[in-house]
Amino acid sequence: MSFLSLSHCSRLLAGAGLSLLAGAAMAAHPLITDDTGTQGKGHSQFELSSDHDRTRTDAGIERVQSSSAGFAYGVHDDVDLGISLPHTSYRVPGEARQQGVGDVTLQAKWRFHSGERWSLALKPVLTLPSGNHDKGLGNGRATTALHLLAQYEAEPLTWLVNVGGTHNDNRDGQRKGLWSASTALLYAPHADWTLALDVGANRNADREGPRTQSYALLGGIYHLNKDVDLDLGYRRSLQSGPVTHTVGAGLTVRW
């Protein structure tokens, strides 16, 4: 793959919102904004999700399918450790389809404050260069991030706020110092359902694209029982340039 094609692939993946997803690794799908909840000591969670992005450009329609399997374990009532393994398949007009395992993400979540309504948590994230950089499936170098999570509860509403920074080390000449900010409002009209509105923005890693990326997301989570959730979401990019539409679905199991 030529350098020009590889650079275009990097822009495609960033434009499709994958940089936003990486910054919010293992948030409750389909949300980008994470909550402060932890599993509890000795408890585990497995999450399987799939997102399909579609972007119409002058060159044609670009499609990205990204799937992820994530596992989190509670080492303390207020501390989780987690790992996420992504798989990406994409096609640039005029190029052969590329697919394979992406960069593995390791993370922790520490809820350091838990009040009657407010709770706060820190989430450090380490992304390992396990994806094939030559195929545009990985960053080529490890990246680190730190996010501050806030949550306010007033049933049936929950308000989430995230802010964070990322050191985006890479081999493609992308920006290294990145920021992200997002907020989500969750509404539970019934014990079996949660509806969500999620909006956010982040500094674009691609120097040739818009300086800031942004999105809006609508989603719903069906609680099959206290340990199993099914979800569906729709996300749309809001920054200038070609619009990316994303439809995603997921399954979460706790034990």
Side-chain angles (χ1 to χ4, degrees):
M1 180 179 293
S2 67
F3 173 80
L4 179 60
S5 297
L6 182 58
S7 177
H8 181 79
C9 293
S10 299
R11 294 197 296 273
L12 169 62
L13 297 181
L18 298 189
S19 60
L20 289 170
L21 294 175
M26 294 180 65
H29 196 270
L31 297 174
I32 303 299
T33 307
D34 203 357
D35 58 46
T36 62
T38 53
Q39 304 307 311
K41 185 176 181 179
H43 294 275
S44 302
Q45 173 180 287
F46 174 76
E47 184 176 75
L48 187 64
S49 63
S50 181
D51 292 280
H52 301 261
D53 308 312
R54 183 178 183 272
T55 307
R56 183 182 296 275
T57 68
D58 293 339
I61 296 177
E62 301 173 338
R63 302 178 189 272
V64 179
Q65 179 180 351
S66 53
S67 302
S68 178
F71 175 77
Y73 178 76
V75 297
H76 184 276
D77 283 346
D78 295 321
V79 180
D80 281 356
L81 297 180
I83 182 171
S84 180
L85 177 65
H87 182 278
T88 301
S89 173
Y90 70 91
R91 184 173 183 179
V92 176
E95 297 280 349
R97 177 176 295 277
Q98 300 289 346
Q99 60 181 346
V101 173
D103 289 346
V104 172
T105 298
L106 305 177
Q107 73 170 41
K109 185 191 292 187
W110 170 41
R111 187 176 58 221
F112 62 88
H113 173 74
S114 184
E116 182 177 350
R117 293 188 181 273
W118 279 101
S119 55
L120 299 170
L122 285 174
K123 182 173 71 172
V125 180
L126 171 65
T127 303
L128 304 176
S130 54
N132 190 324
H133 176 262
D134 293 335
K135 292 184 176 181
L137 298 171
N139 209 36
R141 293 177 181 169
T143 65
T144 55
L146 181 63
H147 301 271
L148 174 64
L149 319 178
Q151 179 170 327
Y152 178 79
E153 296 187 64
E155 294 185 359
L157 297 176
T158 301
W159 181 34
L160 308 176
V161 178
N162 291 182
V163 292
T166 300
H167 176 62
N168 180 45
D169 200 6
N170 64 89
R171 293 164 54 189
D172 300 317
Q174 296 180 341
R175 294 187 177 101
K176 292 188 175 183
L178 307 179
W179 58 264
S180 62
S182 64
T183 185
L185 186 65
L186 282 63
Y187 172 57
H190 187 274
D192 294 339
W193 284 96
T194 298
L195 305 177
L197 170 64
D198 191 339
V199 295
N202 71 306
R203 191 181 191 194
N204 191 358
D206 177 24
R207 297 180 186 274
E208 297 182 24
R211 188 176 181 85
T212 300
Q213 294 177 297
S214 55
Y215 72 90
L217 180 151
L218 290 173
I221 302 173
Y222 175 61
H223 310 289
L224 189 63
N225 55 53
K226 67 182 182 66
D227 294 321
V228 181
D229 293 339
L230 302 173
D231 66 76
L232 186 66
Y234 166 73
R235 185 174 76 248
R236 184 185 189 279
S237 64
L238 301 178
Q239 71 272 6
S240 61
V243 175
T244 297
H245 302 271
T246 303
V247 175
L251 165 69
T252 302
V253 180
R254 293 173 289 271
W255 66 92

